[in-house]
Amino acid sequence: MASAAALLKSSFLPKKSEWGASRQVAAPRPVTVSMVVVRASTYADELVKTAKTVASPGRGILAMDESNATCGKRLASIGLENTEANRQAYRTLLVTAPGLGQYISGAILFEETLYQSAVDGRKIVDILAEQGIVPGIKVDKGLVPLAGSNNESWCQGLDGLAAREAAYYQAGARFAKWRTVVSIPNGPSELAVKEAAWGLARYAAISQDNGLVPIVEPEILLDGEHGIERTFEVAQKVWAETFYAMAENNVMFEGILLKPSMVTPGAESKDKATPEQVAEYTLKLLHRRIPPSVPGIMFLSGGQSEVEATQNLNAAQDALLLRAKANSLAQLGKYTSDGETAEAKEGMFVKNYSY
């Protein structure tokens, strides 16, 4: 009986009659290497230009994207009914403030406003363009409960987003806003963080594909008793996940804008932070997590201060311009609170805020 070694040898060695053929070396086959191809958006150059314009020095974004219901609350505070005519007058007041474009580079609009005309018949987007202000549009559909989470939320609105944004671009919008939130008191759970990051990444990719610069906003809610270190820890995790998800979705970082939350203690925390501490932690977060290719980082008030509008047109526009100038100076590092009213220094935090 042949040994196992002999059987193996006879099985793998060619027969003597085949040796001549076996000495011939076959021509190497062409090797196909699978490569990931990142397709640049057809709007790539325009996206970069828009992002740089909105992030221009000394100017910032006017958030006038209140829903009709929220706008109605403002009108009710001065005894006005929530009608389209009154909303039109209120929005006309904002966009026609003389010299607003000196301090404002972009305006986030609600859908009704994007297609709305001012009181004098001119389209609101045209008035903004005359002021040198880029029109933007709120595109998310609001927060809903996230099943399987610790009583947390996720942001809806991806269904049909591409078609809606294509129409918004035709109407004059050039950037978009999508707000999702992360709650520290409720965890945050791994599920909620990943859902927020992936939703933002899909929104950003769809927006760029339709010519709109996406403002990426995973808001760390102020609610809670936690300290500033806990906020910093969570923010690092959220932004790491968000940029990873955007990279996976081939989002062009040069064509986005960020709206991070400032790193602060929870609103109910016993350990208050000084402005210097907030600045230190916020800058440390940005240095650790934000790629240098991102052209602009925009902070909204974040619960800091507010000036209420009045029924007097000139006084209301003066108040708007005063606030816009103050934010312009802050962006340039030149702001001081000298001359500010006590009302302007009051906090704006609203627990469990939604709009």
Side-chain angles (χ1 to χ4, degrees), residues 37 124 192 244 355:
V37 178
I124 285 180
Y244 176 80
Y355 67 105

Side-chain angles (χ1 to χ4, degrees), residues 274-288:
T274 65
E276 290 77 14
Q277 288 175 313
V278 171
E280 178 187 355
Y281 274 90
T282 302
L283 285 172
K284 185 161 61 172
L285 170 68
L286 299 180
H287 286 147
R288 286 189 181 181

Side-chain angles (χ1 to χ4, degrees), residues 124-144:
I124 285 180
V125 291
D126 292 339
I127 297 173
L128 290 171
E130 291 170 8
Q131 293 250 41
I133 299 171
V134 181
I137 179 71
K138 176 182 181 291
V139 298
D140 68 75
K141 293 294 185 179
L143 301 171
V144 292

